[in-house]
Amino acid sequence: MFTAASPALASGGGSEEEFSAKDLIFHHILDTHEWHFFDGPYGTLYLPVIVYSQEGGLEVFSSSNFYNDHHEVVPYQGYIYDHGHITHEQYGHVYDFSITKNVAAMFISFALLLFVFLSSARSYKKRGNSPPKGIAAFFEPLILFIRDDIVIPNIGKKDADKFMPYHLTLFFFIWFNNLLGLLPGAANVTGNIAVTVTLAIITLIITHVYAKKPYWSHIFNPPVPMALKPMMIPIEVVGIFTKPFSLTVRLFANITAGHIMILVLLSFAFIFKSVAVGALSAVVATAMNFLELLVAFIQAYVFTLLSSIFIGQAMEEAHH
């Protein structure tokens, strides 16, 4: 969607500027304080800006104040908006607690998660031992798959019930946001490294809260000759942080790369200004979009699987 609200095709003085694929791509994959859906006066949802500074205190206003009638970015009460970042002319840095596009999208995904699982729970409670129907029937195979093929094999049947809520939340949160991110005009939640690093840190915390003595012994007293221990201990300590790092980068890079590829393909029509190229790029982009449906599931599965492996390794008892 190339509009004046997006820097990809900005208009000024009644004439269109040259199309910029870079501006379009970054406008889509980066977080913003407004949510653009379509052209026109009602096509953009301006989200609330919530900023705090020691000098100015807490202030709340609409992000629409950062735009004039020509949709040009302008300061508002000393606050400056520059590519998603807010500063103040006098105070400099301010703390930004705004409801951005990604935050609003996460609220939507939370609502969907609550609807799905509360509806499923009510269905099971109502039907008892009878086969589930509706939403519960659709999601039951996925829930059993996560339990039987991810959690139990890696953590063990004894502790599976304890960690099922986390793994179910992790899988469906990532999967839902991956799917929602493929909709036109949607937010790029799981392509935001702040989101993926937060999920990875949660896995890191859970892993080390429930870690048992053999896990710590393997790190600080690795089973190697004494002469190698001074070298192996730092490597094992670094390994604690490389695991969440790999979780962070894998999800972020794969989702972002998919979005960029689709946008690049669609941009060819505007770069070459050709109907034939536009038709071909639309077909290939559509095929890529269907492929991204599979990637959305795979990335949710891989993140959940690796999290269960890391937790299971930390909880593993000593071998005799």
Side-chain angles (χ1 to χ4, degrees), residues 82-101:
D82 182 24
H83 295 89
H85 299 285
I86 299 175
T87 56
H88 196 276
E89 292 175 344
Q90 296 179 356
Y91 315 144
H93 173 74
V94 297
Y95 295 97
D96 188 359
F97 303 101
S98 304
I99 307 298
T100 62
K101 182 169 71 171

Side-chain angles (χ1 to χ4, degrees), residues 57-233:
L58 183 68
E59 292 197 55
V60 182
F61 53 89
S62 172
S63 61
S64 62
N65 291 296
F66 285 128
Y67 298 93
N68 60 20
D69 294 338
H70 303 290
H71 207 81
E72 297 168 339
V73 179
V74 295
Y76 175 72
Q77 294 185 351
Y79 290 101
I80 302 171
Y81 185 63
D82 182 24
H83 295 89
H85 299 285
I86 299 175
T87 56
H88 196 276
E89 292 175 344
Q90 296 179 356
Y91 315 144
H93 173 74
V94 297
Y95 295 97
D96 188 359
F97 303 101
S98 304
I99 307 298
T100 62
K101 182 169 71 171
N102 282 347
V103 175
M106 282 192 284
F107 284 150
I108 294 173
S109 66
F110 290 152
L112 286 174
L113 284 169
L114 287 174
F115 171 75
V116 166
F117 288 108
L118 290 178
S119 299
S120 299
R122 283 195 297 267
S123 176
Y124 278 110
K125 185 176 180 180
K126 182 178 179 180
R127 300 184 65 82
N129 294 326
S130 301
K133 291 186 176 181
I135 294 177
F138 177 81
F139 284 99
E140 184 183 51
L142 286 171
I143 294 171
L144 294 177
F145 168 73
I146 294 168
R147 185 193 67 182
D148 298 337
D149 293 300
I150 296 179
V151 179
I152 290 178
N154 294 303
I155 296 178
K157 195 169 185 178
K158 177 183 175 182
D159 297 307
D161 290 343
K162 182 191 301 183
F163 293 97
M164 271 296 290
Y166 174 65
H167 286 84
L168 286 175
T169 304
L170 191 63
F171 175 84
F172 284 104
F173 174 79
I174 295 173
W175 187 41
F176 279 16
N177 280 292
N178 287 351
L179 293 176
L180 291 173
L182 296 175
L183 297 174
N188 183 32
V189 174
T190 45
N192 186 313
I193 200 166
V195 174
T196 60
V197 74
T198 301
L199 296 176
I201 288 173
I202 294 172
T203 293
L204 175 68
I205 293 171
I206 293 174
T207 299
H208 292 88
V209 165
Y210 289 94
K212 296 186 177 179
K213 185 177 178 180
Y215 173 81
W216 295 112
S217 177
H218 184 84
I219 292 174
F220 295 105
N221 186 27
V224 296
M226 185 62 66
L228 295 177
K229 288 184 185 291
M231 180 178 67
M232 289 301 299
I233 291 174

Side-chain angles (χ1 to χ4, degrees), residues 180-315:
L180 291 173
L182 296 175
L183 297 174
N188 183 32
V189 174
T190 45
N192 186 313
I193 200 166
V195 174
T196 60
V197 74
T198 301
L199 296 176
I201 288 173
I202 294 172
T203 293
L204 175 68
I205 293 171
I206 293 174
T207 299
H208 292 88
V209 165
Y210 289 94
K212 296 186 177 179
K213 185 177 178 180
Y215 173 81
W216 295 112
S217 177
H218 184 84
I219 292 174
F220 295 105
N221 186 27
V224 296
M226 185 62 66
L228 295 177
K229 288 184 185 291
M231 180 178 67
M232 289 301 299
I233 291 174
I235 293 174
E236 293 290 343
V237 172
V238 171
I240 293 174
F241 302 99
T242 57
K243 292 174 181 177
F245 177 78
S246 68
L247 287 176
T248 299
V249 174
R250 181 181 288 105
L251 179 58
F252 161 74
N254 279 283
I255 298 302
T256 301
H259 286 228
I260 291 175
M261 282 297 298
I262 292 173
L263 290 168
V264 167
L265 289 168
L266 293 175
S267 297
F268 285 156
F270 297 88
I271 294 171
F272 294 100
K273 299 179 181 179
S274 167
V275 175
V277 173
L280 180 60
S281 64
V283 171
V284 178
T286 302
M288 281 289 299
N289 215 50
F290 280 109
L291 180 62
E292 285 298 305
L293 292 175
L294 178 61
V295 172
F297 177 86
I298 291 174
Q299 290 306 315
Y301 165 73
V302 169
F303 199 105
T304 308
L305 175 66
L306 291 177
S307 294
S308 69
I309 291 174
F310 297 155
I311 294 171
Q313 289 174 341
M315 295 181 63

Side-chain angles (χ1 to χ4, degrees), residues 34-71:
E34 70 282 340
W35 199 337
H36 182 76
F37 297 101
F38 53 86
D39 290 346
Y42 306 106
T44 301
L45 175 63
Y46 292 100
L47 299 168
V49 174
I50 306 170
V51 289
Y52 173 81
S53 63
Q54 188 173 0
E55 297 85 355
L58 183 68
E59 292 197 55
V60 182
F61 53 89
S62 172
S63 61
S64 62
N65 291 296
F66 285 128
Y67 298 93
N68 60 20
D69 294 338
H70 303 290
H71 207 81

